[in-house]
Amino acid sequence: MDKGTLYLIPSTLGDSNPLHVLPIQVKHIIDRLDTFIVENSKSARKFIKSIAPEKQQSSLTLFELNKHTEPTDLPNFIQTCLKGQDLGLLSDAGCPGIADPGADIVSLAHKHNIQVVPLVGPSSILLAMMASGFNGQSFAFNGYLPIDKNERKTEIKRLERISFEQNQTQSFIETPYRNNKLLEDLCAVLGDHTEICVACDITLPKEFIKTKTVKDWKKNSVNLHKRPTLFIIHKS
């Protein structure tokens, strides 16, 4: 029996019209799938309804993959493909497998020789990099910085040093309600001529993307509270 295909389905980065930022192929794939692996069932159903309103919600089978999921549950999630049916892996925001727990499912699919098909969609990491003006030939995404004050300071200095020594752009994120504090910490720790790009609410109506030196950021404030934000630094 032929195995089904695992489709990696991107979603919007916030409350926006899906077809403004997603190609029509995403809608076509969602239209014909009934089984999805998702981070949160409620938000997944809302997204599916927004992009395929004619689809019957009662026909959906959703498996949740998040921090509460046991690793031993994962093999059960791909049974759909092993039985010959196609399966969708749907991110809560952006692209599956990028700063997203979906990577574990993709890895498992490869081990079972299941075809993996990534669909085009918005990645806040790549969009922020595109708009930063920094080196796009060599860059790293570092996830979350340490919460401890001293550890965070050490990590910020380490990333600045790597950026300078290797000409490598460094990006990271923060829990949205701590965004303002992180920008303050960056301005306090980094050298005045190190550049920071702040990319906030990407693809949304209130999108804000600015690249400035630390010296200039100290003169200009921006409210990032509870707004999805990418921080990128580069020292030349």
Side-chain angles (χ1 to χ4, degrees), residues 26-41:
V26 173
K27 173 176 168 54
H28 292 333
I29 295 296
I30 288 178
D31 279 339
R32 67 179 185 80
L33 294 182
D34 289 320
T35 307
F36 298 85
I37 300 170
V38 305
E39 285 188 70
N40 178 278
S41 293

Side-chain angles (χ1 to χ4, degrees), residues 122-137:
S123 164
S124 59
I125 298 169
L126 292 182
L127 291 172
M129 273 299 308
M130 289 166 60
S132 70
F134 296 154
N135 184 9
Q137 299 292 332

